[in-house]
Each structure stands twice: as structure tokens, then as C-alpha cells.
Amino acid sequence: MSELAFLGGKPIRTRIFPQSNTIGEEEKKAVMKVLDSGNLSQYVGSWNNDFKGGPTVQKFEKDWAEAFGVKYCHAVNSNTSGLYACIGACDIGPGDEVIVSPYTMTAGAIAPLIYGAVPVFADIDEDIFCLNAKSIEEKITPRTKAILVVHICGHPTDMDEVMAVAKKHNLKVIEDCAQSPMAKYKGRFVGTIGDVGIFSLNYHKHIHTGEGGMVVTNDPVIAEKVELIRNHGEAVVEGKKTKDLWNTFGFNFRMTEMEAAVGIEQLKKLPDLIEHRITNANYLSKKLGELPGIIPPMVKEGCTHVYYVQAFKFKKDIVGIHRNTFVDAMKAELPTMILRESTPIIGSGFAPPLYLQPIYQQRIHRCSFNCPRYEGEVSYEKGLCPVTERMFYEEVFTHEYMRPSFSESDLQDVVNAYEKVYGHVSDLMEYELKNAVPV
Ligand SMILES: *Cc1c(COP(=O)(O)O)cnc(C)c1O
């Protein structure tokens, strides 16, 4: 019998890892203050003093604008709704195409569909997993209106290249920064380089308000539209004397005063939380990088990586087993869950190529790619984005052992587990042969 826990041996550790709870006394106090006031939200969906929300929401927006050095910030109730608002604010509609990433959370491709536009998937870069500018350019047609980049895993997209393509073809650039708050590209925060950026404040992001999001832009036209879309724009435009009425009908994407109160305190903690993530990730990258065939995340020159997750590449030709077998063996050595969360702390592949979802495969939408106004021909077939598919099915695995709550001794357990599994690869080769695991 092997010593590997996966094959019946004793695991390195069964004690659960420390909970990464960033909510403390500061947030509690701030929320109590809002509760005492009785105003849990102060929005009104018409043109008056309360159209922009209550004092706490507005303070949160002001703090965010200062921290990120950006002119306009709009708090919303999720990154997803922020994405919708941005697509609307960029005047995108039926017949239009938006270039999106297949290697991300599902909302990044659904946002154009909400406005009847067509998501067109470009491929990712094989080192940083963000959209690749060359692939973007290949997908541009006369119908393309915008590029929606995602700074995935916490590393910035190659923005110089993307902005050059956008400029050449007169396209808007929307940045999904859900996983990359305060990540820098050549000295600038992501989210402030393109036309508009969106951050997530859901509970598994760097900081959170339970649910929530923030839209940032330096463009007054986009800012005004986002504000209208957030809060019942159609009922507001007359009073506000808005001239451009296109896409200014609204939703309710409003953040509550309690969430904003939490957000103000969380934002103060963000730099330290990120620094701790980077320190932990650097330690693990150094240690695990010593194992041939395991390639730590690339950090490109001029970029900071803020490690929403730490994404490694796994070379099966060098290690000798399939990535999935390796990850399964790792899962058995360490407690796989973070307390409160059902997400495994290590996993294979990260994000399945979005175009393989039934909505694209079966083309289930009454407008968008089925719209009579759409004159293009979009493909969602398997093999469409070969780099994405190779990363998902073969090469990438991600872990969250770099979370700020992990101490030095927790990290040592993690390193020990990796080294143990790596040292027993021959047992796993035998296992793959016996169980006919396709490699
Ligand atoms: C989390 C996430 C979202 C969605 O954020 P919500 O606030 O939950 O709507 C969108 N895009 C990416 C890349 C994400 O990681």
C-alpha cells in the first residue's frame, strides 16, 4: 500500500485551515450605526436628492474613487449587474458583437446577451490566461462594438496591446476586475485603463459586502448611463433632462446602506489583505516551482498579481501522470474545504470554456445570435479556443492556499503535501494504469 492518502495512507493534515473571515468589529460597528438610523437604503427611482442613494453609499463611492484614482464610481448590488450596466452604457444592442473571454465566470459572456447582443469568444494567453490581443483582433467584424477583458486570477491583461487594437477599430473596452482589485498594469490600477471597469464584492472575493459591486470610469457619458441603468432610468430622464435616451431604461441594481457601511471598512483593509496574499503566493511559488513540471504563475514585467487564486501549469509529460490524478491526490492530503465554503481549496482546470454551455451549444435565446438584425455568423463549436481548452482540460490547476489567513506553519503543511504527492508519482502512475485513466 502507498503512503499516499489517495491510495489509503495517512494524510498530511486533517485539521481544517483557518477561516478567512475579514469581517471584524469595524464592520459590526458601522452596520449598527446604519441600523440605528433606520435608513437601510435611501434610493428613490426618480429625479430628486435621493436618486444617487443614501449617505453611506455615496461615502463608499467617494472612498473608492480616491483609493483607485478614478473620477466616477457607482456602487451596484453585484459585479454581474455592473457588467450589465456597462454593456448598456456602451450603447450595445441587437446586431452588435462583443468580444469576450471563454475562461471566466459565466456572467462575463451573458452581459451582452441581456441587451440582445452576441458574445464572440476570443482565445486566452497561455501564460496569464487573460484574453490575447492577437486572438481578439482575429475576431473583430464590422459588428464588433466592445471588448470585455477579464483580469483573471488576479493578473492584469496585456492592456497596451488590447487598447491598441481597440483604438485601431474604434471599440469600447470594458474591464472585469472582479478578481483583480488593486492589481496594477504599468503603474495604473486595472479598471481605470479601458473605458469602464467593474469590481465584485461578493463573499469569496478579496473583500466583500456579502453581495455587491463597483463600477468605475473617467468617462462622464458612461458614468451617467450607468447611474440611470442602476436606478430606473426611464422614470428619471425627463426630470434630469437627459438628452441621449438610448439604453437609459433601468433596473434596480442598488446597493444598501448596510452593504456600503461594510464596504467602507473592507476597502481600508484591502491593501494589507492583498499584501498578505502576495507574500504567501510568492513563498508557495518558490517552493512548488522547484518541482519539475509544476509551473508557478507568471507575473509579467510591470504587473502586480493580486492572487484571487494561484494558478499553476502542470506538464504531464514531465511529471508522468495526468493533472487530475495529481490534484485528486493533493485533495486527499489536506482538508479540501475552507470553513463556510463549499468550494474546494484546490481544483483542476479553473473555468470550463463558456461556449460549451447549453445556452451557446443549443443557441437558446430569442434575440442575440437568433436576432433578425444580426448579420454575422458566430461559432460556439468545440475546439473554438484551443488554448482555453488545453488549459482547462490538461494544464491548469488552481489553489487558494495563499489566502491571507494562512500562517507559516499552514503553508509548510501545504508544501509538505505537494512534495509528498510529487515524491509518490510512481504509485500514481501505477494507479492510472490499473484504473485505465486516460493520460
Ligand atoms: C465573481 C466574478 C463575477 C461575478 O461577480 P458577482 O459580484 O458575484 O456578480 C464576474 N466575473 C468574474 C471574473 C468573477 O470572478
Side-chain angles (χ1 to χ4, degrees):
M1 193 177 75
S2 171
E3 285 175 43
L4 286 177
F6 181 62
L7 300 173
K10 197 169 163 287
I12 290 274
R13 169 170 171 157
T14 52
R15 188 166 41 93
I16 199 150
F17 284 113
Q19 182 176 329
S20 25
N21 184 2
T22 61
I23 302 295
E25 288 307 316
E26 306 80 7
E27 286 81 1
K28 285 186 205 164
K29 243 193 246 159
V31 170
M32 286 310 289
K33 214 173 128 194
V34 171
L35 288 174
D36 285 340
S37 81
N39 275 358
L40 308 193
S41 177
Q42 203 172 304
Y43 275 104
V44 175
S46 58
W47 185 237
N48 67 30
N49 282 343
D50 290 335
F51 169 66
K52 289 168 188 280
T56 324
V57 162
Q58 291 193 37
K59 165 91 165 72
F60 184 30
E61 292 174 340
K62 195 168 150 279
D63 289 359
W64 196 284
E66 237 161 66
F68 285 81
V70 67
K71 257 195 202 145
Y72 308 100
C73 284
H74 293 107
V76 284
N77 56 9
S78 72
N79 174 292
T80 301
S81 43
L83 284 166
Y84 297 172
C86 290
I87 293 286
C90 290
D91 263 350
I92 288 160
D96 296 340
E97 292 176 343
V98 178
I99 295 179
V100 299
S101 172
Y103 199 59
T104 182
M105 187 266 179
T106 182
I110 291 298
L113 282 169
I114 295 294
Y115 282 88
V118 176
V120 173
F121 294 94
D123 210 350
I124 58 169
D125 179 281
E126 69 168 41
D127 292 318
I128 54 171
F129 320 125
C130 301
L131 275 182
N132 170 285
K134 200 166 152 271
S135 178
I136 291 174
E137 191 154 28
E138 285 167 10
K139 302 283 173 148
I140 290 173
T141 73
R143 293 166 294 280
T144 312
K145 288 284 148 58
I147 305 166
L148 201 171
V149 300
V150 188
H151 307 295
I152 203 75
C153 302
H155 190 285
T157 306
D158 275 326
M159 287 307 284
D160 280 352
E161 292 174 27
V162 171
M163 294 310 288
V165 171
K167 196 166 171 211
K168 186 168 148 199
H169 299 272
N170 192 26
L171 306 175
K172 290 272 193 276
V173 175
I174 302 168
E175 300 179 69
D176 181 345
C177 311
Q179 303 189 357
S180 54
M182 288 193 164
K184 275 188 170 168
Y185 178 82
K186 300 189 178 172
R188 295 163 76 187
F189 287 124
V190 298
T192 67
I193 303 166
D195 294 277
V196 61
I198 310 108
F199 295 84
S200 173
L201 294 161
N202 88 21
Y203 85 108
H204 50 85
K205 295 293 154 50
H206 291 69
I207 55 169
H208 74 118
T209 57
E211 303 285 353
M214 190 66 83
V215 179
V216 308
T217 182
N218 288 309
D219 180 331
V221 176
I222 291 181
E224 182 184 16
K225 283 197 188 261
V226 166
E227 205 167 52
L228 288 163
I229 291 167
R230 170 176 72 176
N231 188 13
H232 306 291
E234 69 286 353
V236 180
V237 289
E238 271 190 316
K240 196 170 187 282
K241 299 191 172 60
T242 304
K243 289 199 189 75
D244 177 5
L245 297 187
W246 203 251
N247 275 4
T248 51
F249 53 92
F251 296 84
N252 173 352
F253 289 161
R254 308 177 310 204
M255 177 181 272
T256 70
E257 291 284 286
M258 289 173 293
E259 288 159 337
V262 172
I264 289 168
E265 298 307 320
Q266 286 274 291
L267 180 60
K268 293 180 196 161
K269 299 178 179 179
L270 181 57
D272 276 353
L273 289 168
I274 288 171
E275 198 182 304
H276 210 136
R277 273 180 193 254
I278 293 174
T279 307
N280 286 352
N282 285 346
Y283 175 80
L284 292 171
S285 281
K286 184 163 172 290
K287 289 287 184 185
L288 307 183
E290 288 165 11
L291 308 173
I294 293 188
I295 300 161
M298 175 181 282
V299 183
K300 287 210 168 182
E301 210 185 313
C303 292
T304 51
H305 196 319
V306 296
Y307 297 104
Y308 172 65
V309 296
Q310 198 171 4
F312 294 81
K313 286 210 284 186
F314 185 93
K315 298 288 184 189
K316 66 181 175 191
D317 295 344
I318 297 173
V319 186
I321 52 172
H322 195 279
R323 172 202 64 189
N324 296 358
T325 311
F326 184 85
V327 170
D328 286 346
M330 275 298 297
K331 282 182 181 167
E333 294 299 336
L334 297 169
T336 53
M337 307 294 181
I338 304 171
L339 202 60
R340 292 188 291 114
E341 297 196 22
S342 55
T343 329
I345 208 166
I346 180 167
S348 294
F350 192 50
L354 289 181
Y355 51 83
L356 298 179
Q357 290 176 346
I359 186 170
Y360 307 108
Q361 289 302 303
Q362 297 169 39
R363 299 193 177 237
I364 304 164
H365 199 270
R366 293 217 169 95
C367 189
S368 187
F369 32 70
N370 297 320
C371 176
R373 292 183 65 165
Y374 180 55
E375 290 165 354
E377 237 178 273
V378 64
S379 167
Y380 298 129
E381 69 192 24
K382 187 149 174 32
L384 180 67
C385 298
V387 179
T388 304
E389 293 187 18
R390 178 156 55 87
M391 294 305 131
F392 178 72
Y393 292 108
E394 306 288 336
E395 288 194 27
V396 168
F397 72 87
T398 59
H399 77 205
E400 293 184 48
Y401 300 121
M402 76 298 134
R403 284 200 171 219
S405 56
F406 278 57
S407 70
E408 247 170 70
S409 80
D410 296 324
L411 295 179
Q412 192 53 55
D413 285 344
V414 172
V415 172
N416 290 345
Y418 273 105
E419 287 177 348
K420 179 181 169 189
V421 171
Y422 202 90
H424 288 79
V425 160
S426 56
D427 295 353
L428 292 169
M429 282 167 145
E430 224 173 89
Y431 164 85
E432 283 186 341
L433 272 178
K434 244 194 273 165
N435 293 279
V437 176
V439 175

